[in-house]
Each structure stands twice: as C-alpha cells, then as structure tokens.
Amino acid sequence: MRPIIRAFGGLGTVVALVLGTAAFASAEERRPVDAQGVAAIEWAPCPEIAEVECGTLSLPIDWAKPRGERFDLAVARRKALDPDRRLGVLVINPGGPGGSGVDFALGADDYFSPEVRQRFDIIGFDPRGVARSQPVKCSFDLAVNAPSPYPTDQAGFDALAAHNRELAADCRARSGPIYDHADTLSVVKDVDALRKSLGERKINYYGISYGTLIGQQYAEEFGRNTRSMVIDSNMDHSLGTWRFNETEAVTAEDSFTEFVKWCGRTESCALHGRDVPAFWDGLLARADRGEVTDPDDPTYVVSARDVIRVAFSAFYGPDWAPLAEFLVRLAAGEPTPGVSLRAVRPAAAQETVENPFPAVFCQDWAMRVKDYREFSALVAHADRLAPHMRGGSLGHSAIAACVGLPGKVANPQHRLRIEDSPKILMSNALHDPATAYEWAVNANRQSRDKTVLLTYEGWGHGVYDRSACTRDAADRYLISLKTPRPGARCAAVEPPGQTAVSLGATPLPTGPAPGVPGWLR
C-alpha cells in the first residue's frame, strides 16, 4: 500500500492527454478563485530545490464546516519544460497512507519520462495529516511500546484494543481535529480545491499504491473534472476484513515463491542450488528459539518477524540478490551492512513521531475485529495461505492497528462506482507483494466501462518505470488519451543481479506500526 517510489526513501525509514490546450483553462481564466475559501497559491522556490516551486493552500479541516478551523495544504510544482506544448497539470501522489507528494514532486525528474515533464506541470501535495500538511503526531513511546499485534488470548486482545484507543486519544490531543478528518474522501475534496486554486478546468492524475484510492475516489466524486488518470498498483476498497486479510497473505506468499524461483534459475543468487524454503524455514525456527542475534548488535535477539519484515521489504524492489546474501550472512552470524534488523532503534529525547497511518486507514476501512476468537481465526487462515511468510505482515498489521477503535468510519468500503470520468488507465504487477494483482482485477471488473487494466507480468510494487512497455503505455495515454487495448500485458523484466547487500535502495510503504516496512520516524 504506499508508494513505492523508487526515487527516494530506504529500508528502515518509516516506509497522465489530447494534444493542444483547448480543454484547459486559458491564462485569463486561471485567475485566483474564491470558492469555499479557495484562493490562488503564492509560489516561491522550494527550500530543497530552487527550480521547484512550493506553496500552501488554506483549506477547511472539516469540509462540512467550510468556515471552521483550517489547515495549510503543502504543494510543490515543477513547471512543464516546454510551456508552448503544455497540456495542463499532472497531480501526483506516492501512496502510503503517509507518503509525501511534495517529496515526490521534488524527485519527479528522476521518475517521470522527459515527455511527461515537457508537457505537464507536475503538482505534488502532502495529504492532510501528512508531512508538511499539519502532520498527525503521536507519542513516540506509545507508538513503539505497543502490545504484541499477535495476542495469544482474550486478555492480550483487550490490551491491544486498549492501547490503540490510548494511542488514538494521544494522537488526537497532539494533532488537533485533523486527526478525525484525515480520511481519503476529505483528501479528494482537497484535490478538487487544489484544481480550482490552480485555475484548471480539469486535472490529470497519477497515483501509486494508496494513491490509487485517492484517484479512484476522485473519479467517483469529481470524474467530470478529470482529463486523464493513471492509477498504478491498485487498492480494492470493496474488500471486507476477511477478504482483505487473505488476499494480503496470498500475495506476500506469492512474492516469496517468486524469490525462490529466481534463486533456482539464477547462479548469482547466494542461495542458488540450495533448498531455499527449507533454509528459510530453518532460519525462522532458529529465530523462534532465540538463537539468532543481530551480527551488528549482538545484544539484539532477532525474531522471525524481523526476518520476514526485511524479506517483505525486499520484495518491493524486488531486491532479490541482496536479500539472498543478507539471509546467508544472517544465518552465518556475519555482518549485514545496510540492513536494519530492529523495527525501531532507540531515539534520544524523541517525544513525538509522525504517525498518519491509523488516522487515515482506520477511517477509510471499517475493519474491526470484535474479539480474540475472531482475531485468531483471521491469523490462522492467513498462516495457512502464507506458511513461509507467516500470513504476511502488512495486511495483518493494518487490521491490528484498528482493533478497539470505533466501528463507524468516515469512508467505509464500497464497490467502485465511476460514472462521469474519461477512460482511466489501471496498471499492476502480476507479483506485487502489497497491492495484490487480484485487487486491480476486481477494481477493474467493478468499473469495466471506465477503466482499462494493463498487466505487468513481473514483480515488485509500482509499474510505471518497470520497462519501456509500461512507461510508454502510460505516457501515450497521458499525452494522447489512447489507452491500451483491454487485456494488454507487458512482459516481465528480470531484476538486475546486484551482488552487494543494498536492501536500503528501495523505498517502502508507510506502515501502520514500527514493525511494518515504511513506518515514519
């Protein structure tokens, strides 16, 4: 679920058009507007990169009370490199929930093709409650000292529920009303206000991972204001708790299986010629017995969940070669440079941490488990579906993060209902570890007359920059509005055969808890 924008981030960090301009507002029309308090953004060079412009947009925290308390939405803009051929704005989001769209825009020159950068103003924004847009902040101690998300009895389940309620109260007290209004429906209203502020009749949109939910719901609410949309590595917002849990488990296990297959056919794999599943299971068993310590910090006893977390993170790349080398070194007790086995390292004098995940996810998904009996059934089912990945980590932790919170949510699940948007390009990897391919297929099925699904037959999270085929299909659509034919597929590209341990090279999603890849520090 998060982005995965391979241009920034790293292991251990709190892990789209017809030629011409007739369809867009003229310069005369792009005057400051005043709809529900929306005004033009005052741009200035960004502190990080002067060639990118930054600004803020004052918006209501509660869209039902437009004259009430407000927050500043942080925005960044990379102007089209060829203004005479400009096609409009491309609003981008890297996912999460919790990923920074401003950071995405700052690094967009390393992500999007020259053709896209020539034709569009690239607009990144930090969603409400994230990064520079009044971030949700919580007690560091509360966030990291949570009970086990794998309770073994009703008392443990009750302790997890009580902790989640205490953490929510703490986050609300430290963050203010933005905590209760960080849902994606509120975000899409912010996006349309951003469109108005930019003076654009229509926008183009590119969202990856959780950013696809923003895109899907923008198309539902404001499809008439959309010119084109690419949603890459898709969420399926129709899923209930049981189906969400099992699809996340299945796709995590599938990524493990693909890693095993790669080692079998690739001589440079450090585990080539060995029984990789047996080696893996043996390493996890040793960790269960407390026999594995961090070679770089012998005082830290490595858990099986630590090993699974590192592997799951590597599947995003996929970073198979460094993962295999890491596993061999860990089993032998040798140093594992560049890899953090601790979910969170102690931080001196750190009072708060940015923690937007539960504020967003637990308002977007009504996935509440009532008691330990139901919770243990979910865990057991996931374990059966993903025996090597022990049910996976991202899906389970997302569900566990919402245990004990109110059942009524601002943006509950529903089938995708898109009525008045143009054709939308969906894309997804066949072997995505986080946003299951089945999610994209199901979302496409629910919106078949409005979406076209492009399948990348390879691995990892995020499709746009996987190959010339995936990039050209998205670029062609963004520039000319020509979608691929239904059922179009792009061949897999074998991951590069890195030999050094470099698992920190691939950014990670923003996770719901310290034990999940991408958690924000």
Side-chain angles (χ1 to χ4, degrees), residues 48-112:
E48 300 89 345
I49 303 176
E51 67 190 64
V52 183
E53 297 174 307
C54 284
T56 60
L57 179 62
S58 176
L59 296 174
I61 288 178
D62 182 352
W63 278 102
K65 301 176 181 178
R67 297 184 182 277
E69 194 167 347
R70 304 177 77 82
F71 78 101
D72 288 336
L73 183 79
V75 186
R77 175 174 69 179
R78 278 185 174 273
K79 285 189 174 182
L81 298 177
D82 190 346
D84 293 338
R85 300 171 66 223
R86 176 185 180 274
L87 291 172
V89 299
L90 177 62
V91 178
I92 60 175
N93 181 270
S100 167
V102 170
D103 287 347
F104 192 6
L106 292 172
D109 57 333
D110 289 328
Y111 187 75
F112 292 104

Side-chain angles (χ1 to χ4, degrees), residues 374-385:
E374 181 183 0
F375 194 83
S376 61
L378 286 165
V379 172
H381 184 57
D383 285 348
R384 286 191 295 270
L385 295 171

Side-chain angles (χ1 to χ4, degrees), residues 41-288:
I41 298 170
E42 294 186 6
W43 298 103
C46 295
E48 300 89 345
I49 303 176
E51 67 190 64
V52 183
E53 297 174 307
C54 284
T56 60
L57 179 62
S58 176
L59 296 174
I61 288 178
D62 182 352
W63 278 102
K65 301 176 181 178
R67 297 184 182 277
E69 194 167 347
R70 304 177 77 82
F71 78 101
D72 288 336
L73 183 79
V75 186
R77 175 174 69 179
R78 278 185 174 273
K79 285 189 174 182
L81 298 177
D82 190 346
D84 293 338
R85 300 171 66 223
R86 176 185 180 274
L87 291 172
V89 299
L90 177 62
V91 178
I92 60 175
N93 181 270
S100 167
V102 170
D103 287 347
F104 192 6
L106 292 172
D109 57 333
D110 289 328
Y111 187 75
F112 292 104
S113 69
E115 291 76 16
V116 167
R117 290 184 283 118
Q118 287 168 4
R119 307 301 292 275
F120 299 97
D121 291 351
I122 295 177
I123 308 292
F125 69 100
D126 288 349
R128 52 176 54 219
V130 172
R132 304 162 184 83
S133 294
Q134 197 166 321
V136 170
K137 291 187 176 182
C138 310
S139 161
F140 179 83
D141 287 340
L142 269 179
V144 301
N145 294 313
S148 171
Y150 292 89
T152 57
D153 53 25
Q154 184 62 43
F157 179 87
D158 291 341
L160 177 62
H163 173 269
N164 286 347
R165 289 191 292 268
E166 182 182 7
L167 180 63
D170 176 85
C171 301
R172 184 179 293 110
R174 295 176 187 271
S175 309
I178 198 81
Y179 180 84
D180 293 306
H181 297 279
D183 60 281
T184 295
L185 274 180
S186 295
V187 173
V188 301
K189 293 174 183 177
D190 297 342
V191 173
D192 204 56
L194 176 58
R195 175 191 63 81
K196 294 174 184 177
S197 178
L198 295 169
E200 301 289 334
R201 287 174 53 200
K202 295 178 183 290
I203 65 168
N204 309 279
Y205 179 83
Y206 173 83
I208 184 171
S209 194
Y210 210 81
T212 65
L213 184 58
I214 296 173
Q216 291 170 11
Q217 297 204 295
Y218 187 85
E220 288 183 310
E221 299 289 322
F222 301 105
R224 64 193 177 277
N225 299 334
T226 308
R227 185 172 183 270
S228 68
M229 179 177 292
V230 177
I231 41 180
D232 180 343
S233 305
N234 281 263
M235 303 297 296
D236 179 2
H237 198 231
S238 71
L239 299 177
T241 307
W242 189 265
R243 192 68 184 138
F244 179 89
N245 174 63
E246 64 185 8
T247 50
E248 281 286 69
V250 167
T251 203
E253 185 74 5
D254 172 72
S255 286
F256 176 82
T257 300
E258 292 299 307
F259 166 63
V260 173
K261 291 178 180 177
W262 176 82
C263 275
R265 67 177 182 265
T266 308
E267 292 186 3
S268 62
C269 174
L271 290 166
H272 180 68
R274 302 178 69 171
D275 185 335
V276 178
F279 173 90
W280 169 268
D281 291 343
L283 180 59
L284 296 191
R286 287 177 55 202
D288 287 337

Side-chain angles (χ1 to χ4, degrees), residues 225-515:
N225 299 334
T226 308
R227 185 172 183 270
S228 68
M229 179 177 292
V230 177
I231 41 180
D232 180 343
S233 305
N234 281 263
M235 303 297 296
D236 179 2
H237 198 231
S238 71
L239 299 177
T241 307
W242 189 265
R243 192 68 184 138
F244 179 89
N245 174 63
E246 64 185 8
T247 50
E248 281 286 69
V250 167
T251 203
E253 185 74 5
D254 172 72
S255 286
F256 176 82
T257 300
E258 292 299 307
F259 166 63
V260 173
K261 291 178 180 177
W262 176 82
C263 275
R265 67 177 182 265
T266 308
E267 292 186 3
S268 62
C269 174
L271 290 166
H272 180 68
R274 302 178 69 171
D275 185 335
V276 178
F279 173 90
W280 169 268
D281 291 343
L283 180 59
L284 296 191
R286 287 177 55 202
D288 287 337
R289 296 192 296 267
E291 298 172 1
V292 181
T293 58
D294 185 345
D296 301 307
D297 180 7
T299 65
Y300 183 73
V301 178
V302 176
S303 71
R305 294 289 171 192
D306 290 330
V307 181
I308 291 169
R309 173 179 56 83
V310 173
F312 183 71
S313 304
F315 296 156
Y316 279 79
D319 296 326
W320 287 333
L323 172 61
E325 186 175 345
F326 158 76
L327 293 172
V328 170
R329 289 187 176 189
L330 180 64
E334 298 174 357
T336 57
V339 179
S340 175
L341 280 159
R342 288 178 182 261
V344 177
R345 292 189 177 277
Q350 182 170 347
E351 180 181 356
T352 63
V353 62
E354 292 184 21
N355 186 30
F357 189 99
V360 181
F361 186 86
C362 297
Q363 283 295 315
D364 280 344
W365 302 81
M367 291 196 289
R368 304 298 191 262
V369 183
K370 65 179 182 296
D371 54 26
Y372 171 71
R373 181 178 179 180
E374 181 183 0
F375 194 83
S376 61
L378 286 165
V379 172
H381 184 57
D383 285 348
R384 286 191 295 270
L385 295 171
H388 295 101
M389 291 297 288
R390 299 193 178 180
S393 56
L394 189 55
H396 174 88
S397 295
I399 294 170
C402 302
V403 165
L405 300 183
K408 185 178 180 180
V409 304
N411 183 27
Q413 299 98 301
H414 63 272
R415 289 179 61 84
L416 192 55
R417 300 185 295 265
I418 301 175
E419 297 178 355
D420 56 359
S421 79
K423 281 283 188 179
I424 292 170
L425 176 58
M426 292 180 164
S427 58
N428 219 94
L430 191 60
H431 303 291
D432 188 312
T435 55
Y437 180 67
E438 180 181 332
W439 290 4
V441 170
N442 201 31
N444 172 238
R445 185 183 298 120
Q446 294 166 28
S447 57
R448 191 178 300 278
D449 60 332
K450 289 296 183 181
T451 62
V452 174
L453 174 60
L454 173 68
T455 299
Y456 171 62
E457 295 178 320
W459 314 271
H461 190 51
V463 164
Y464 174 81
D465 60 347
R466 290 290 169 182
S467 69
C469 177
T470 56
R471 184 177 57 251
D472 291 350
D475 288 357
R476 185 182 307 113
Y477 163 71
L478 287 171
I479 293 169
S480 70
L481 292 182
K482 294 180 180 178
T483 59
R485 59 175 175 77
R489 304 174 83 87
C490 287
V493 175
E494 198 79 359
Q498 312 108 308
T499 57
V501 175
S502 56
L503 290 177
T506 299
L508 301 169
T510 302

